[in-house]
Amino acid sequence: MNKPAKPEADDFDDLSDLYGPPLTDAEQDAWFERNRDEINASLVRARQEFAEGKATPWDFEEMLADARAEFEKTQKTKKV
């Protein structure tokens, strides 16, 4: 019986190398509290742009097709 192969590590296996250790719940709460005004302002701008027709709603089917294409592309490069 064949033993399953160990999955190959990819660039995203350990995001702590890029971003550091995950934030604790208290650190997350503090971050949101510090940035609350900026987050809310960003949401207000986004809603305004959407109301003015400057933004388009996301098309789930298009996003899914893009994700499938990207997945297929990565599968082909791994087989090489």
Side-chain angles (χ1 to χ4, degrees):
M1 178 176 246
N2 291 339
K3 182 178 175 183
K6 182 179 177 184
E8 290 183 24
D10 59 21
D11 293 338
F12 302 108
D13 280 347
D14 189 7
L15 294 179
S16 64
D17 289 344
L18 287 173
Y19 303 110
L23 298 176
T24 65
D25 288 343
E27 290 170 326
Q28 272 187 334
D29 292 344
W31 185 90
F32 280 111
E33 192 58 40
R34 283 193 313 271
N35 293 287
R36 181 176 310 280
D37 293 338
E38 292 85 358
I39 294 168
N40 286 331
S42 177
L43 291 171
V44 168
R45 281 192 309 274
R47 289 182 183 123
Q48 184 64 36
E49 288 176 7
F50 185 76
E52 293 171 358
K54 294 180 182 176
T56 56
W58 291 352
D59 180 350
F60 180 75
E61 293 300 323
E62 183 180 327
M63 290 170 39
L64 188 57
D66 289 346
R68 285 184 175 138
E70 186 66 26
F71 177 77
E72 289 300 321
K73 187 171 86 175
T74 61
Q75 295 307 302
K76 289 176 184 174
T77 59
K78 286 183 179 181
K79 292 178 183 177
V80 173

